[in-house]
Amino acid sequence: MNPILKVRDVCLSYHTLSGETPALSHISFDLMPGEFLSIVGPSGCGKSTLLNLIAGLLAPECGSITLDGKPVSAGSTAVGYMLQKDHLLEWRSIYKNILLGLEIRKELTPEKLSHAEELLRIYGLDRFRDARPSQLSGGMRQRAALIRTLVLKPELLLLDEPFSALDYQTRLNVSDDIGQIIKKEKKTAILVTHDLAEAVSLADRILVLTSRPATIGQTVNVSFSDPGLSPLARRNAPEFKTYFNLIWKELNPDE
Ligand code: ADP
């Protein structure tokens, strides 16, 4: 199997009137199809910058990023982005929100509409199809936001702190829910989070970035003796604490 994503020796600095801010330095990694990668690191180290580069929203100063062998580019449906805010439009029903991307792309074909219907049904949003976003819980809204992205059949999902606006209890349930949908849909995903427990509960592999300019400090392959555990169940598995402590030490070497 070949990697779906290749990040090679990527670096980037921001240039502003007050000077240069080096954000990323010599970042290289591959991502295999179906893999779930989490990226953790100190606040402000360059995690979101890396996702923006992979989405093609920024161009690297050096190095290259290819998805399926082609350089990434902004606006491509190959990459789906999920953010902290769900950006659902209040004046549209949930169904109309889910079709938004297809509508903008003028791709409301019978085949794609039937895929949207199927996702609505499988993931229990059918009964909310005529509801407005404000009538849904935070968790259901994030589920709707994910389905809006999945309808476009992205090859790679980028998740930038998608649960951080939720309270702790909801966050545990929503990350479990979203993680299970991504696995079921066999999607390749990259999650940026400052929450180490969230990273360990969801990922097959974790990249621990150093402080700015970020380099890859450590790569941790995450495997549990029971490979079928849900993200929530992983939190109670014996291996969980070992991975958590390993990454904690990498991020807090002086403690
Ligand atoms: P993280 O996601 O790890 O918190 P970011 O990727 O958002 O970090 O930012 C990395 C560094 O680059 C930070 O120091 C931030 O202040 C700086 N930065 C981010 N975006 C810009 C920008 N548009 N212009 C200038 N500096 C920026």
Side-chain angles (χ1 to χ4, degrees), residues 207-221:
L207 297 186
V208 187
L209 301 186
T210 63
S211 7
R212 198 172 56 73
T215 55
I216 298 178
Q218 201 179 10
T219 302
V220 179
N221 291 314

Side-chain angles (χ1 to χ4, degrees), residues 14-16 21-23 41-50 160 192 212:
Y14 288 107
H15 301 273
T16 59
T21 308
S43 176
C45 75
K47 301 183 289 299
S48 298
T49 301
L50 182 54
D160 194 354
V192 156
R212 198 172 56 73

